[in-house]
Amino acid sequence: MQAHDAYKDDLALLTEAALAAGKIAERYYRNDARVWDKGDGQGPVTEADLAVNAQLHSVLTAARPGYGWLSEESNPLGDLSRLGHETCFVIDPIDGTRAFIDGQPGFAHALAVIHKGQPVAAVVYLPMLALTYAARRGGGATLNGVPISASARADVDGAHVLITRPAMDPVHWPGGVPAIKREFRPSPAWRLALVGEGRFDALVTIRDSWDWDIAGAALIATEAGAVITDRHGQPLRFNRAEARNPGVVAAGPAVHAGLMAGLTAPQGAA
């Protein structure tokens, strides 16, 4: 009961922080925010990312000084002090920065609390679309306060799957590319949350996935009834030194099984 109450309190804290972050992002949205390239193939960052990150760090660490901190915009692979904490914030100040730069509304603030490698409270907030996805361990998942549930589709063929075009290359599917309908959205966290909402049947990411992109939304999808693993079918783990997992597969049980059959070599194959 004590842990359950703690997760509830952490979820309330994340929700309040995410809504405040949205107000900051709105000030910069379509307002010529300065943009830099982070180099080394890391992509762009804007002054809005940095302003949101600073605000979230200030508010969240003041409220929970005993928690570690992992954020895309806070030297995530250089500062490993977070590994000394059983509980850690995992934050993407603006998930979908390219969409933000392009003036598209499909960017999100992705916030999570991780305890012993697993998410226990999470919020994915899209301020320009007025969408607040939230979950806590054992408490279910909601969208704008209304419970959500993942798709119960029984057959992978014909499933609507959030996946990039390159990920459909047969080289990634030794068991055969399933006959799915491909869709895409700009924010990784939003894509996972949409699976939890049941708007799409599944998500597949072949490339390694950073913790800040998926940690919170992974809890939302799981609490909504989806099965979520890495691309090899193994459980996801968060707040490790490398801060990433080898891809993501999220779907209802039957569709997840069908996708994994395609992603893994048939039994007995060389």
Side-chain angles (χ1 to χ4, degrees), residues 19-32:
L19 294 176
K23 294 185 183 302
I24 296 173
E26 287 174 24
R27 294 203 300 267
Y28 291 96
Y29 182 63
R30 296 181 179 175
N31 198 27
D32 296 323

Side-chain angles (χ1 to χ4, degrees), residues 54-70:
Q55 174 68 9
L56 290 175
H57 184 268
S58 175
V59 170
L60 295 176
T61 59
R64 301 287 189 274
Y67 289 11
W69 178 261
L70 170 60

Side-chain angles (χ1 to χ4, degrees), residues 203-205 227-231 247-251 256 259-260 263:
L203 168 143
V204 176
T205 302
V227 176
I228 182 165
T229 65
D230 68 21
R231 66 174 182 265
V248 181
V249 180
H256 187 278
L259 292 168
M260 291 309 306
L263 286 167

Side-chain angles (χ1 to χ4, degrees), residues 94-201:
I94 295 182
D95 185 52
T97 295
R98 288 185 174 87
F100 179 87
I101 293 169
D102 291 343
Q104 301 175 28
F107 66 88
H109 307 300
L111 292 70
V113 171
I114 304 298
H115 181 66
K116 295 183 177 179
Q118 294 299 316
V120 296
V123 172
V124 173
Y125 176 47
L126 286 81
M128 307 315 300
L129 297 176
L131 300 174
T132 305
Y133 298 88
R136 72 179 191 275
R137 182 185 287 181
T142 61
L143 169 58
N144 293 346
V146 178
I148 56 175
S149 59
S151 167
R153 186 181 178 89
D155 189 354
V156 69
D157 289 341
H160 289 258
V161 180
L162 291 160
I163 183 172
T164 63
R165 191 179 302 278
M168 294 292 293
D169 191 314
V171 71
H172 302 302
W173 300 84
V177 181
I180 60 177
K181 298 178 180 178
R182 189 183 72 84
E183 303 274 358
F184 189 70
R185 294 294 183 275
S187 158
W190 188 25
R191 294 199 293 270
L192 264 176
L194 284 165
V195 173
E197 187 185 350
R199 288 273 300 278
F200 294 90
D201 298 306

